[in-house]
Amino acid sequence: MQGKRMFKSPGTVHKKMGILSMLRNRFVFSSLRKRIMVLLTVGFVGCAILMASVSYNAIYTMQRDKIKTSMAFDLYQQTTKQNQVYNNLLQVTQQMTPEGTVGHLMETYISTEDIYSQRVLSRDISYNIGLITFSNPAMQLVMYYNPASGRASYSNLPLRADFTLQSLPNVASMGELKYQSPHKSLCRFSDDLVVSVTREVEFPDGTELVVYVEAKTDITTDMNSLTESLNMPYSLILTDTGGTVTYSSNPAAFEAGRHLELKGQSGTTDDYVWNRTTGDYGYDVTLLLPVSYYNHELYTWKNHMYWILAIALLMMFMLTLVLRRLINRPFLLIEKEMRTFGKGYMGTSQYHTGIDEFDRIFDQFNIMKRQIQQLILDVEQKEKRRHQLEIEKLAYQINPHFLMNTLNSVRWLAVMHKQEDIEKFVSSLIILLNYNLGKSEEKATFRSEIQVMRTYLELQQMRHDFEVRLDIAEGAYLDSPVARFILQPIVENAVCHGLDDNGMLEISIDSDEASQMVRIIIRDDGKGLSQETLALLQRDTPDQQQTGWGIGLRYVRSMLESFYGYKAHMGIESTPNQGTTVTLNLPFLDQRKERAM
């Protein structure tokens, strides 16, 4: 029974296939134009919906980020100002410790029993405290406070009668240092909002005093200015490490002494959006904004979004109709051109659809037609040229063979007539031609190159009266491979273009086993070369003026580059009427490297 359930009847399968075929024929368009129109319509509608979604999210994100960035920046500014004020106050308290200037005077005053010295020191202490407050305009009250007697000494300003240091709103503490939140100044004649620092100081004689320093803060003015400029009712809160509010710019919403439960650096509660940071001395600074003001601009944008979406959809629908008209005609023209081209018509037609992209397609299509016509002509020309090259190749193979056979006939004719000089000359010439034309089967080595060079010099000494001095060092390098036919062109240049009769040609060949290099020096004492000619010979590119020296040296340079790459070097030095020196530095290779090349 289970096996029968696995099989389906053929009628059911054909029925499902028929349904799929019908759906495919109804909803799948075979025409490219129809597909483009459908895709454009779907794409535009999708883009409109996507644009609405993205715009809404972008506006929401932009509004949120703008306010949060503004809050973070404003909070950073207020925190930086607060840190700077505390830092300045801390520096003043350091001056009033025994290690500081004022503290040292106070230590001397306490340990001095002479009344006159005490008065002088008292004057100096007051003077230095005045200097401290004068150098910092924001500084207000500076004093020493004796907790044992409950009295203040050396205060630069008169104190309130009811002041107590214990009632100050401490926001952070660090050892003997305590930092107070903004509060009313302890000066009798001032209602300014100040921040203060107290520092417990113990002098060497055991006297314990408390240094109190306060400075005016502009935190209230800053918050009012910020609220008015942005029309955002910000609230700034300072809390201690336990989360207790020690100062609030908006006491009606957050009063001092309240415990503020916030976690993280930023967030949103039911009523407020907040951003928090920690000051340099351990206290927390929090900036809060009511949620209703936070979402005010977002609600305004949301109301306009529906109108924007409707207008965008209408414009996209009109654009779809225009695109359908613009695309349909060029596609018909392209289809017509393809048909005529498929029938073998190579003529070009000029179309101006008014759309640059389609006009460029037609231009490129015409260029393609001309290129195909040119390719057909090129193939015909290349086929003719190939037949001509085959004929020339046969002729070039016959000519050297004919020349070698003729020279052999001349050599045997000289032997038969006992003309030894002619026989020797022709034999040397045959050796040179065999080597230079590649008829010799042996591979080129330093030894074979030297032998061919010797043969050439023997031929030239039969015609010219010059002396040759060879200095060739023996070694394994002589049997190492080398580029073919590189010494004879240089020697030939020296003999034909440099040496005079009775001249001297010096050839030195040596190897350096350490660097695996062969050094070849070919020097003549002939007429030399001018600077212009020498510069012309140094060129790597061919020149119409490079005759004689230039052709041979260019050949040698090409052979060296082909065989060695950039490892070989050829240098030319010449002085007019003093001779020319050609130096070759060639690496000698083993047989394995030669086969690899």
Side-chain angles (χ1 to χ4, degrees), residues 60 63 67 273 289-300:
Y60 176 78
Q63 174 69 12
I67 295 178
V273 176
L289 178 67
V291 173
S292 59
Y293 283 88
Y294 178 77
N295 293 327
H296 175 71
E297 292 189 19
L298 180 62
Y299 294 149
T300 303

Side-chain angles (χ1 to χ4, degrees), residues 251-277:
F254 299 94
E255 59 183 356
R258 175 181 171 181
H259 190 71
L260 191 62
E261 287 288 347
L262 297 176
K263 295 182 180 179
Q265 297 298 320
S266 62
T268 304
T269 63
D270 294 337
D271 299 323
Y272 291 93
V273 176
W274 55 272
N275 202 316
R276 183 173 63 175
T277 187

Side-chain angles (χ1 to χ4, degrees), residues 263-548:
K263 295 182 180 179
Q265 297 298 320
S266 62
T268 304
T269 63
D270 294 337
D271 299 323
Y272 291 93
V273 176
W274 55 272
N275 202 316
R276 183 173 63 175
T277 187
T278 302
D280 292 343
Y281 302 99
Y283 58 90
D284 290 335
V285 184
T286 306
L287 192 64
L288 299 100
L289 178 67
V291 173
S292 59
Y293 283 88
Y294 178 77
N295 293 327
H296 175 71
E297 292 189 19
L298 180 62
Y299 294 149
T300 303
W301 274 104
K302 188 176 180 181
N303 294 331
H304 295 300
M305 180 56 61
Y306 298 108
W307 288 103
I308 296 174
L309 179 61
I311 295 172
L313 288 174
L314 179 60
M315 293 179 61
M316 289 180 181
F317 178 73
M318 296 176 63
L319 183 60
T320 302
L321 296 178
V322 173
L323 286 175
R324 183 179 182 279
R325 182 177 179 83
L326 290 176
I327 294 175
N328 193 33
R329 180 174 174 270
F331 271 128
L332 290 175
L333 293 176
I334 292 175
E335 184 180 358
K336 176 184 175 183
E337 280 292 306
M338 290 293 182
R339 287 200 190 100
T340 56
F341 182 71
K343 295 177 181 179
Y345 176 71
M346 293 291 180
T348 58
S349 302
Q350 297 297 328
Y351 293 100
H352 298 284
T353 62
I355 303 175
D356 293 340
E357 290 77 9
F358 284 108
D359 289 343
R360 285 196 293 268
I361 290 175
F362 284 120
D363 292 340
Q364 292 297 324
F365 193 70
N366 290 330
I367 293 173
M368 183 185 69
K369 287 181 179 180
R370 290 192 288 268
Q371 289 177 344
I372 292 175
Q373 293 175 1
Q374 186 62 41
L375 286 174
I376 293 173
L377 295 176
D378 291 343
V379 170
E380 293 177 355
Q381 294 293 331
K382 287 181 179 179
E383 188 65 23
K384 293 179 181 179
R385 181 59 179 166
R386 186 177 67 82
H387 289 295
Q388 184 178 357
L389 289 176
E390 289 179 355
I391 296 173
E392 292 178 357
K393 180 181 178 181
L394 293 174
Y396 289 145
Q397 290 175 348
I398 294 172
N399 291 339
H401 184 70
F402 171 75
L403 178 61
M404 297 301 297
N405 289 338
T406 304
L407 288 175
N408 278 318
S409 299
V410 174
R411 174 175 172 269
W412 284 109
L413 187 61
V415 170
M416 292 174 61
H417 289 80
K418 298 181 180 180
Q419 298 291 330
E420 296 180 358
D421 293 338
I422 297 175
E423 187 270 336
K424 182 179 180 182
F425 189 90
V426 174
S427 297
S428 299
L429 182 58
I430 290 172
I431 293 173
L432 285 177
L433 290 176
N434 272 326
Y435 186 81
N436 294 342
L437 293 175
K439 296 292 184 178
S440 176
E441 295 297 331
E442 62 175 327
K443 295 182 180 180
T445 62
F446 283 99
R447 192 181 301 277
S448 64
E449 280 291 305
I450 293 172
Q451 181 60 38
V452 170
M453 179 186 67
R454 288 178 184 270
T455 303
Y456 173 77
L457 290 174
E458 290 175 357
L459 287 176
Q460 292 298 328
Q461 283 181 319
M462 294 180 183
R463 296 178 53 203
H464 305 287
D465 189 10
F466 63 90
E467 184 179 353
V468 178
R469 185 175 298 168
L470 295 176
D471 183 11
I472 300 172
E474 291 292 332
Y477 76 94
L478 290 174
D479 296 316
S480 65
V482 70
R484 180 182 291 272
F485 195 51
I486 59 172
L487 295 183
Q488 181 185 328
I490 301 175
V491 172
E492 184 178 351
N493 279 335
V495 173
C496 298
H497 302 286
L499 285 175
D500 297 328
D501 290 338
N502 300 320
M504 170 66 73
L505 179 63
E506 298 180 3
I507 301 173
S508 173
I509 303 177
D510 197 2
S511 67
D512 185 356
E513 295 293 335
S515 61
Q516 294 287 296
M517 296 293 290
V518 176
R519 185 179 180 85
I520 302 173
I521 301 174
I522 301 173
R523 182 186 298 109
D524 66 76
D525 59 355
K527 54 188 178 183
L529 302 171
S530 64
Q531 293 298 323
E532 293 78 7
T533 305
L534 188 61
L536 187 64
L537 294 177
Q538 298 290 352
R539 296 181 183 176
D540 293 334
T541 56
D543 193 285
Q544 293 180 355
Q545 302 178 11
Q546 287 186 355
T547 58

